[in-house]
Structures are given as structure tokens and as C-alpha cells.
Amino acid sequence: MSEFCDVALPVPLDMVFTYRVLAETTPLVGGRVLVPFRQQRLTGIVVELHDRKPSLAIKSILSVLDLTPVLDDQLLRLGRWIADYYLAPVGEVFRTMLPLSAEFKRAVAYSITAEGRTALHLAGLLGSSARSRRTPEDQAVEFRVLDHLAAQEIAAGQTAQVREESLRSATRVSKIILSGMVRKKWLAREDVSAVRDASRTIKIALLKSADGKLNDNQQKLIETLAASGGRAPIETLQALEVPRTTLTTLVRRGLIEIIEEPAEFAVSRSKPRPSRLEFDFNPAQQAALHRIREAVEARKFSGILLHGVTGSGKTAVYLAGMRAVLEAGRSAILLVPEIGLTPAVAADLHQIFGSEVAILHSALSDKERAQQWHRIRNSEARMVVGTRSAVFAPLADLALIIVDEEHDSSYKQEETPRYHARDVAVVRAKMANAVVVLGSATPSLESYFNAKKNKYTLVDLPDRVERRPLPEVEIIDMRQEFQETGYEQVISRKLAAEIKERLERKEQVMVLLNRRGYSPVVLCRTCGKTLECQNCAIALTHHKREHKMICHYCGYFAPVPKACVHCGSEYVYFLGTGSEKLEELLHGMFPQARIARLDRDTVRGNEDFERTLNALNEGELDVLVGTQMIAKGHDIHGVTLVGVVGADSALGMPDFRAAERTFQLLTQVAGRAGRGQAPGKVILQTYFQDHYAVQYAARHDFAGFYDKELRFRSWMHYPPYSTLANVLIRSSKLDEALQWSGTLGRWFEQTRHEGVRVLGPATAPIMRLKRDYRYHFVLKSPSREKLNTTLRAMLAYASAQKIPRTQVIVDVDALWLM
Ligand SMILES: [Zn+2]
Ligand SMILES: [Zn+2]
């Protein structure tokens, strides 16, 4: 048996840690262990068992948590790939891959020290005169804590640890005072975090009777199993006091198996509704399905880019493909964007796949997430549908991964590890010899480029179902509107007339304004300053209903100012329009209309979102106003007009993906019009009417946009012609941020990085965010290998310069350079 094991821990360090294996425990590669780390206890994943004696003194593992690996070879390999590709600490990657935090309970406990006992003793002798400088109340609390702990110790007859919760409820001590007492060495603090088995039970199942000789321990175990009907919780067997090797031997001989069962699981809280999905396919859909099935049956990796216009019936093709996989007894994953998983979608999925589907969405509790994970791992659910992290579902015999709306930015995780689920899906499919299908009406430039280079097979769905036409798009130049009317309009005359017409015809309207709140800017006419967030270099947005000024980046809020906070002037103006104000304007213009709004202020969860969409679907609403949330994938048949009031402000930002993002948003929102019997129309108001993103979106011309945008990317050496990483240096202290970015800037200058362009250091477009000052570098290289080599060397140098790893953010394939 190996003496040591290397463990990947969820800490921001690019290394694994060696621990001694205890004689009575057998850790497994890919299984979890509980270990001491600095002053804490952490769970980590065993990545290697070995006998190489480390040079430093090492600690032993505290306990082994898993009898079977929680990450199989393929997922371990995938995790290592992510760590390597995105330069993320491997332990943090594994933590992201495993939604099992519910099985680990954090806790700390305190005990009184010799110094604490002395302090308590002296206080008793000298009275309150010895207790100087602190406030009497704080002192009283401190001695209450010491008293309590001393009493526990006397009662126990030995050192007694008291958990933080019970200590605090017994003495009403604050965390700050507790930390102060630990600093004074009156108290000892220890992490006593432990595993909680509530969400799973491990059972042992008897597979067959013995066909050879058994030793006494083995015999005892088998007999107990047989007596309890062939299955027993592991605790029952542990009570027999047989060594763990007995279990492992029996498993190896195929006599028993170890299974983990979730304690209980509720499928869904939503009530089922009749599915609207039609599996009556047109020839293009049939051809697409045929391609997918053929590829799956080949049992080797292939990638398919399914480019289907809005309303072309992509979802039905995905589900039919998955059903074929299920019938073949294999498994599949469907990834959907953040907002896509409403309870109604879940109900559809249950109707199609029954209990074979596991749905992983952001509203699940940690415990529910863990339960779903166990169902998937036990092969009870072989169809997995979920957002980003569902790409890590522990499925066996994976045949198909589908990424719906593959261009959607919610697939990119904006915290460590900064992986892109679409790209991870492609890599996982390769490892599993499976098929990956990327679907979108507006594929990302990267994916379309790959399809054009024959890395993926391009499958087109060029028509809407039932030959419905794409909507007609009319562009309204808002500068001209201003000249003709003499003042800044929110809703143009043309859009107002078209809305009126739809309301008279009892048809429905959607109006997009991609900005939350009432007014995005408060400006002082006297000193010219705006009202900014305390923590960010961002203007606060006026929210009228909440009567607050809110920061959309950190959540900070302030009262609505009556006078300028800088100079006291009363001439403060609320400028610009957000979705809240747009809704109010429409109410004023069409008092009879039933109007609702969909944005992050009106939607707290997917159920709110669905309630509003249902109301629209049932004809209980005439007009739906909202941010990009209204643009995503809904199929409402009564909408015949889509008004775009503001969706092009991104075109004015310093971001090379702005044109692509605008084109995608315009195309997606336009696609909401005319999905039923009546044809649709789109009124597109813009200040950038000559911009190609606007022009191509108006013509539904993806190929035209793609060619033009690709030429720009090629000239500017941006993806897909170049790999790119954003390196962000941040600190709450301005001089630290400056010093660190200067240090790294000099290093980039002095060290040769052939084939890598380094831009920066420059202040980040958002110079201050959540109290951090921010500087950044942008690195570009035609070679992924050279880019990552440079980044690795930079991180090593930063670490040698004592720049904390958490303050240097490396974002490989960054979507945002803000
Ligand atoms: Zn002012
Ligand atoms: Zn803020």
C-alpha cells in the first residue's frame, strides 16, 4: 500500500499537497479526503498515491470520504486540462466540477488556554481594575466566554472544545471579540469541519453467493448482508468491526458492490403542462437529426455546428437526438443558457424523458444539487439538462453533448476557474469519443470559423418551421428623428404608430431596451460631476420604484439626491432612459394596454420569469418591455411586433466583441416576432444606422456579418485569428495595484516572449470595481502554447515577487476586457 498521497485542495495555489496515508484508511485516486491545511480542515481530491518521501515534515489525512472515486479517469483528465488551459489551480477546478459542498459542514470550535485561565483567575483576584482600556461591556463579554469555557472544561474533566454557534448563543459574544481573544492567546481556535452524510447513504449490496473460500471476516460480512435482504448501510457493516480491506477484497472478487444512494429526491415542483414540442419534422430538421444520429452511432468524436435561424425548430432536433441516445441505453448532456431553464421547460423534459432526466439549474439548493449528482452517478438519470456546470455531470457512456445557444456569454464562468462550458464540452466529447452539437441562430465567430475550416460539420436549418417568413426589419435613424422633432425621443413616431396598430388588432408587442432602472446617469449642471458608486468607478442608476440610486456592479445603493453631493448645487438632472422609465412612458402613451416588464429588477428567479412569459402566452398582456432577457429563445406566437429602443449602446464601447454582441442581440430579439400565424415586423431604433452590425442584422444576413467581422478580427489580430488573454491586477490599495502592474510591466518588457504581443499595463476600462483598483494587460498570440507559456512564466514571477495569486487574474479567451 502506498504511504503518501497527493491531494488537490481548493486553495488559490498552483500545486498539490502531500499527506501521509493512515494505516487503516485507503484513499482512492479521484476520491475525496479530509485533511488539515494551515489552521483549517479542507476536503480535496486525491490525485496520486505514491511512496516518494517528501523532504518536509508532512501531516496525515484525517479521513477518507469516498469508497468509490467521485471523479473518474475521464473527469480527472478533463479537470487537469482546464487547470492547464485556463491557468487555474487544479484544486479549485475540481471543486467547481463537484457540486457536493452540502456533504461537508464547516465548523470551528474554541477552548480556553492556560493564558485564558490565568486572565480569568487574575480578574477574580483583582476585580475590574485589572481590566484596562477596553469598554466595560466588552470586558464583561470576554469574561463570560472564559467562564463558560472553563466551566465546560471542569465538567468534562479535560480540555473541552465548544462549537462557535453554541458558544455564541450561550454568551452572546461577537466574532470580533472572539478573534481578539484568540489574538491575546486566551482562546484556542480549531477548525472542526466534518463530513455530513445527510444527503447520501452508502450501501453495500450483495451480488452473488461465494464460489470460493471466505475467511471469517468475509463470512461475517456476507452473512450480515444476506440477513438484511442483500443491502445494508455501511454503518451496519462498520459495527461488525471487520477491517476495511475485507470490503475491498470482496468488491474485487465481484461478490459485493458499493453504491451511494441519495436519501430522497423530489423531482420537480412545477406542474406538468402539455408539451408544445412538435416532432413532425420538415426535411431540414430530418436531415439534421439524421446527421446527429449517424455521428453518435459511429462512436467516435465529431463536432456539429447547427446553424438554424430563429424559429427553425432546433430544440425539437436536440430532444429527438437525445431520445435516440436514451433508446440506445447511453447518456447525453444538454447545456442551456442561464435563463433558459424555466419550470415549464423542466416539465417538458420530464414528459419526454420521464425519470431518466436530471435537471441542474441555478435555483437548486446545495443539497438538491448533491442529490441530482448522485442520481446521475448511479445511472438513474442518463439525460442531463443544465446550465454551465452540467458539463461536468458524472455520466457513464456519454454519447452526445448539445450546447444550445452556444454563443451565449453565460457559458463563460467569470470567476476562477474561468472556463467556457462550450469549449469544455468539445474537449469532454473528444475524451469520451462522443458527439458535440453546438446550436445557434447566431453562432459565435469562433465556432463558425471552426466549421468553415472543417473542424466541425456545418448543418443548416435555413427556414422557419411551416415556412413562416422571417420578420421584416425597418431601421429608424434616431439622429434624424431628433432633427425632425426637435427633441430627444425614446419612442420614435413610427414605433408609436406601429404599437398603436398592433394594440387595435389585439396583437402583442415586445419592446427591448437593454438597460435596467429608471435613469442611468445623474448629472450636476453646475459642476458637471455625476453621482458615482462608492466602491466602483461606475455611475449610479436611479431606480424610481425602489427610490434608490443603485450600482449595477456591486449592489451598493444611496438615497436619491436632491442636491449635488459634490458642490451642493440644486441643478441635478436625471439623464437617459432605462427599462423602468420605458415602461412608464408606454403606460402614459397607451393607458388601456396591459404592460409588463421583464428585467433583473422584476425577475428574482426563473419562476417569476416564467409567470410573466405565461401571461404573455395566454394573451393576458399586450406589451412586454424588457432587457436582453426578453430576447432569449422564447416562443410566443402572438407577438407580431418587436420594437428595439436601445440595443446598440455597446457599439460605443472599447470592446472588440461589441459588434458581434450587438448583431447577436438584434438578431435574437428580432427572432421573437412572427412565430405564429401572423407575420412579424421589427422596428429597430438606432444611433448607429450605418454600422454593419445593425445593417446585417436588419437583413438577417449572418454570412455577410460574419465575413465582414472576420476581416476586422484578422487585421486587428483578435480571435479567432489569435489567442487572447486578459491579465488583471487588482488591489484595494491604489499604490499596490500600480506597483504590481509596474513590476509585471517591466518584466514583460525585459523578458523576450517571441510570438506574444503584450499590451499594457493600462487602467482597466472599469478602473475601480468592488473597491479594487484595476490595471490590465492584454496578451495576444497566434500560438496557444506560446501564450500559455508566457502566462505561466508571468505567474511564477508574480509569485516570486510576493504578489498574491488572488490579485492577479488570468482570463484566457476572455469575453470581456472591462
Ligand atoms: Zn455639482
Ligand atoms: Zn459599485
Side-chain angles (χ1 to χ4, degrees), residues 533 535-536 551 553-556 770:
C533 174
N535 310 321
C536 315
C551 173
Y553 287 80
C554 74
Y556 168 82
K770 298 179 185 172

Side-chain angles (χ1 to χ4, degrees), residues 524 526-529 564 566-569:
C524 170
T526 307
C527 71
K529 287 183 179 164
C564 173
H566 307 286
C567 74
S569 160

Side-chain angles (χ1 to χ4, degrees), residues 568-719:
S569 160
E570 283 170 27
Y571 296 98
V572 284
Y573 286 79
F574 293 76
L575 300 178
T577 307
S579 51
E580 190 185 4
K581 186 165 164 191
L582 177 63
E583 185 191 6
E584 191 181 281
L585 285 170
L586 285 165
H587 273 300
M589 292 169 79
F590 307 103
Q592 308 300 323
R594 296 162 300 173
I595 302 173
R597 172 161 56 97
L598 211 52
D599 57 28
R600 248 196 290 162
D601 301 306
T602 61
V603 173
R604 295 280 170 230
N606 287 3
E607 297 199 12
D608 292 340
F609 181 70
E610 177 153 307
R611 199 170 309 120
T612 309
L613 280 184
N614 271 345
L616 190 68
N617 207 11
E618 304 289 321
E620 292 158 12
L621 288 175
D622 302 310
V623 181
L624 182 64
V625 176
T627 56
Q628 53 166 346
M629 250 186 210
I630 68 170
K632 291 190 176 177
H634 330 301
D635 191 18
I636 309 282
H637 286 194
V639 176
T640 58
L641 176 69
V642 167
V644 180
V645 165
D648 55 9
S649 56
L651 292 175
M653 296 220 218
D655 183 342
F656 76 95
R657 291 188 203 268
E660 182 182 10
R661 242 179 239 130
T662 304
F663 175 82
Q664 286 166 347
L665 177 58
L666 293 177
T667 306
Q668 294 287 346
V669 73
R672 299 313 112 209
R675 297 172 76 98
Q677 298 302 323
K681 177 156 187 181
V682 180
I683 301 287
L684 202 173
Q685 299 184 178
T686 178
Y687 287 92
F688 298 86
Q689 79 139 348
D690 299 325
H691 197 288
Y692 62 98
V694 173
Q695 289 291 335
Y696 284 116
R699 293 203 292 269
H700 308 290
D701 184 356
F702 176 81
F705 171 76
Y706 169 81
D707 285 340
K708 178 120 185 172
E709 180 66 13
L710 215 49
R711 245 173 293 148
F712 279 118
R713 299 279 180 97
S714 156
W715 292 338
M716 305 296 290
H717 302 282
Y718 274 122

Side-chain angles (χ1 to χ4, degrees), residues 56-93:
L56 298 165
I58 57 162
K59 295 176 183 167
S60 298
I61 57 175
L62 296 168
S63 62
V64 174
L65 308 191
D66 297 299
L67 299 170
T68 50
V70 285
L71 291 171
D72 63 16
D73 285 348
Q74 206 178 84
L75 288 172
L76 279 174
R77 255 203 302 153
L78 188 66
R80 285 202 196 96
W81 179 85
I82 290 171
D84 191 53
Y85 184 96
Y86 293 102
L87 289 101
V90 70
E92 296 198 321
V93 174

